[in-house]
Amino acid sequence: MAGEPQSDCLFCKIVSGDIPATIVRESETTVAFRDINPQAPTHVLVIPKVHYPDAASLAAAEPKIAADVLTEAGAVAADEKIDSTGYRVIFNTGSGAGQTVFHAHAHVLGGRGLQWPPG
Ligand code: 5GP
Ligand code: ZN
């Protein structure tokens, strides 16, 4: 069924606690944890607890939860005190754009200067 946990999904295993992660925030619908390979002083991933392969399919099926991901991304930025200096929220979508984990996730990046446009 849409949104159900997938046995082969790394981020579903982080949601269930089967794989450990450094969790910085949790809500009824989302989990936020530090990226294992940080690309900036703050690099946190915000994921929905439900499984959808990317942000667009999450938003189409569960718009409230997609909004929760954005709200939590903003809360992470405030917690990490990067909201005043500027930060980026990124949804890599598709392998051509660098997506490697096919469970929707927002990258929250900040704490250093960020180039525009990104590579
Ligand atoms: P994507 O490339 O799909 O946009 O982002 C996936 C992110 O997940 C990458 O930045 C990668 O470093 C991170 N990642 C991969 N495996 C793990 C893991 O086991 N734990 C954590 N915390 N992050 C992971
Ligand atoms: Zn998943």
Side-chain angles (χ1 to χ4, degrees), residues 4-6 9-13 49-52 102-104:
E4 291 298 309
Q6 302 293 302
C9 174
L10 179 65
F11 287 176
C12 283
K13 289 180 182 152
K49 291 181 175 175
V50 288
H51 178 96
Y52 288 88
F102 289 84
H103 178 129

Side-chain angles (χ1 to χ4, degrees), residues 6-24:
Q6 302 293 302
S7 58
D8 59 348
C9 174
L10 179 65
F11 287 176
C12 283
K13 289 180 182 152
I14 288 178
V15 171
S16 67
D18 291 330
I19 290 178
T22 305
I23 292 172
V24 296

